[in-house]
Amino acid sequence: MISSVAVVVHDGVAPFELGLLCEAFGQDRTDRGAPSFDFKVATPQPGRVPTSVRGLAVEVTSDLATVEAADLVCVPALPWNVPAPPAVLAALQAAYTRGARLLSVCSGAFVLGQAGLLDGRKCTTHWRHVCALQEQFPEALVECDVLYVDDGRIVTSAGSAAGIDACLHLFRAEFGASVATTVARGMVVAPHRDGGQAQFIDSPIPQTSAETLQPVLDWMGANLQCEISVDELARMALMSPRTFARRFRAETGTTPYHWLTNQRVLFAERMLEETEETIERIAGLAGFGTATALRHHFGRLRGTSPQRYRRSFGGPQAAQTEAAPNVRTQAAQSA
DNA sequence: AAAGGATCCCGCCATG
DNA sequence: ATCATGGCGGGATCCT
């Protein structure tokens, strides 16, 4: 369980990535049922830290000692082609061996790499830097087409705004989907930018217009329960299946089928948290024909079973989370 | 639990 | 010439 968060910065830190970490973990949203953290920004020598923006500096009061107490240590974007201060690397290594979780945004992955924490580990960074990351750290398993990678204790995320997705992912994994949604609402972003797991989306903002697949996406999202083939979707979009598949990838970064099962798992997650429907029924409502299919995809995408997920995040109490000052309820344990 | 059948989806290529 | 289209083959994945 995460209760304290430290962000490590040094000269040249990028304000946006620093800012999103402050926004995600430094805001008090307890009135809406989200957890609050002991949140600190730390640097080797406290004082004025220049940012990557000329003429803008931040005043940091905490030194690296505060990192020692943090359950989650975050690394925002930092100059990727210069060595990080040895004290920072030591602090990160210590945090890791102590059992803390680590999160990097954008070029922050290079600092984790310098600390030797990426060897043999799946990770990512901004698409402009993936090659450099792989070259500098040959042992790292760099993935280039994802918004973020969660490899157990270390989460690395792609450029800029993908850091928000990684933060929301952490909230989801630690506190459940409804808390993640609360935080997302607070930050006014989509709860799960999951249509596109890709960093690259050819047409950046698929706004509602005739040129776009948005209507079909909306329809799909609203009709998860019906079994629908990709061919039928293509017909609905007035395209050949081949063109539909291509356009779909261009706009969402995924394939139709993957997008759909993703939405279905998200829906099932909510049902597990907020209702007491049987797995069988949830499977039906989410559009998985059978409970077996639900278990299969849920396990594949979430690394756990629907039942286990419900035990940690669900139960009837969780349904009232709107009103109740939240602490995650420890639902029934046992096998 | 495993295998055959269906569906999906991507590289390739001809077409407009 | 460049670009979007869409048909096909077959490897991957899913379902039963």
Side-chain angles (χ1 to χ4, degrees):
Chain A
M1 174 70 82
I2 295 173
S3 69
S4 54
V5 179
V7 179
V8 180
V9 304
H10 57 260
D11 285 12
V13 63
F16 180 77
E17 285 78 357
L18 172 59
L20 74 86
L21 292 168
C22 296
E23 183 69 24
F25 298 109
Q27 293 284 317
D28 188 339
R29 297 187 178 91
T30 44
D31 57 331
R32 275 153 292 167
S36 74
F37 305 102
D38 180 11
F39 179 82
K40 295 272 169 50
V41 178
T43 194
Q45 283 103 33
R48 197 181 160 86
V49 177
T51 71
S52 62
V53 175
R54 191 198 306 271
L56 177 68
V58 290
E59 190 80 20
V60 180
T61 53
S62 301
D63 65 16
L64 294 177
T66 60
V67 174
E68 291 166 18
D71 305 314
L72 171 68
V73 181
C74 305
V75 186
L78 294 160
W80 60 277
N81 45 8
V82 299
V88 166
L89 301 182
L92 293 173
Q93 286 156 355
Y96 179 75
T97 42
R98 176 166 49 85
R101 303 198 64 162
L102 287 101
L103 165 69
S104 77
V105 184
C106 198
S107 52
F110 287 83
V111 181
L112 295 182
Q114 289 174 36
L117 296 174
L118 295 184
D119 291 352
R121 193 176 295 276
K122 289 199 279 187
C123 57
T124 192
T125 185
H126 192 290
W127 53 267
R128 276 208 311 257
H129 301 320
V130 284
C131 293
L133 187 70
Q134 187 67 82
E135 277 169 27
Q136 287 189 29
F137 310 105
E139 301 291 306
L141 311 173
V142 180
E143 307 205 343
C144 56
D145 245 2
V146 290
L147 291 173
Y148 56 82
V149 178
D150 184 347
D151 187 341
R153 297 241 311 283
I154 299 188
V155 179
T156 50
S157 66
S160 300
I164 297 174
D165 297 278
C167 291
L168 291 174
H169 164 76
L170 268 180
F171 274 105
R172 172 185 305 278
E174 285 284 315
F175 306 104
S178 69
V179 167
T181 305
T182 300
V183 176
R185 204 176 291 142
M187 296 176 76
V188 196
V189 295
H192 208 228
R193 200 152 55 110
D194 204 78
Q197 279 285 46
Q199 292 193 32
F200 255 138
I201 297 179
D202 289 347
S203 63
I205 303 160
Q207 240 115 31
T208 309
S209 86
E211 288 304 307
T212 224
L213 294 175
Q214 194 60 45
V216 188
L217 257 39
D218 292 342
W219 188 91
M220 287 166 78
N223 296 277
L224 293 177
Q225 76 283 0
C226 25
E227 278 183 44
I228 183 124
S229 72
V230 173
D231 279 12
E232 284 171 296
L233 288 170
R235 214 170 306 134
M236 204 151 49
L238 304 174
M239 290 176 216
S240 76
R242 186 67 186 88
T243 301
F244 179 70
R246 219 178 343 234
R247 294 282 293 276
F248 201 97
R249 175 165 285 284
E251 287 191 26
T252 70
T254 339
T255 67
Y257 188 79
H258 280 139
W259 190 90
L260 196 56
T261 56
N262 247 316
Q263 298 299 311
R264 285 176 167 158
V265 167
L266 283 170
F267 179 82
E269 254 178 355
R270 286 196 45 188
M271 296 289 287
L272 288 165
E273 285 192 35
E274 295 169 10
T275 76
E276 292 184 90
E277 298 285 356
T278 63
I279 305 292
E280 193 77 40
R281 249 186 84 68
I282 292 176
L285 292 169
F288 298 106
T290 69
T292 319
L294 169 60
R295 285 191 202 96
H296 176 241
H297 286 107
F298 201 93
R300 199 170 49 81
L301 266 47
R302 292 291 183 266
T304 183
S305 77
Q307 281 294 356
R308 256 204 295 279
Y309 183 88
R310 170 173 268 165
R311 284 205 195 93
S312 26
F313 299 128
Q317 305 91 324
Q320 304 148 15
T321 180
E322 290 295 319
N326 165 84
V327 175
R328 173 151 54 110
T329 48
Q330 286 295 343
Q333 60 269 68
S334 88

